[in-house]
Amino acid sequence: MSVRRVVPDLRATDLPQSTEFYEALGLREVMDLGWIATLASPGNPTAQLSLMTADRTAPVAPDLSIEVEDVDAAYEAMRTRGADIVHPLTDEAWGVRRFFVRDPDGRVVNVLSHRR
């Protein structure tokens, strides 16, 4: 299974204020859906973090996101091992296919692939 990137998902009560803070540290906004914004390093675009108020289409906000090459294979691997699937495999309007799974320590992981 090929991992493309791992992104921490931080809770933000004031998205514009949090975005401005991290931009002052050199990150640049690469996505803003109003409830989630992703910032990246201009020189290393896979060095990212996401800020979110709440997840608009899932029952919980994830703690981190892992982008994989084949989200369907990742989903089947987690189901096979009996992992706690928190949010089912879903095609989202903003172009990703994803699911949420709980890790052994209770963190919620957003596993995704960009649809082509």
Side-chain angles (χ1 to χ4, degrees), residues 4-7 40-41 44-48:
R4 295 178 183 240
R5 65 188 167 121
V6 177
V7 179
S41 165
N44 181 6
T46 59
Q48 299 181 351

Side-chain angles (χ1 to χ4, degrees), residues 32-43:
D32 183 356
L33 297 179
W35 55 274
I36 183 172
T38 299
L39 294 94
S41 165

Side-chain angles (χ1 to χ4, degrees), residues 7-20:
V7 179
D9 296 325
L10 306 177
R11 306 301 186 288
T13 55
D14 185 325
L15 202 53
Q17 182 179 35
S18 293
T19 298
E20 183 180 300

Side-chain angles (χ1 to χ4, degrees), residues 1 58-60 62 71-90 92 97-104 106-112:
M1 189 167 315
V60 296
V71 71
D72 293 285
Y75 182 75
E76 284 308 313
M78 291 295 101
R79 282 182 35 137
T80 298
R81 69 180 287 129
D84 180 15
I85 305 296
V86 179
H87 180 64
L89 193 57
T90 305
E92 301 290 3
R97 183 169 172 81
R98 70 181 185 155
F99 70 95
F100 290 5
V101 62
R102 194 172 308 279
D103 83 0
R107 285 178 290 271
V108 176
V109 182
N110 172 29
V111 183
L112 69 121

Side-chain angles (χ1 to χ4, degrees), residues 31-70:
M31 180 190 76
D32 183 356
L33 297 179
W35 55 274
I36 183 172
T38 299
L39 294 94
S41 165
N44 181 6
T46 59
Q48 299 181 351
L49 68 86
S50 289
L51 306 165
M52 74 170 55
T53 55
D55 196 298
R56 290 268 171 96
T57 64
V60 296
D63 296 300
L64 69 137
S65 295
I66 300 177
E67 182 183 357
V68 296
E69 188 163 319
D70 185 346

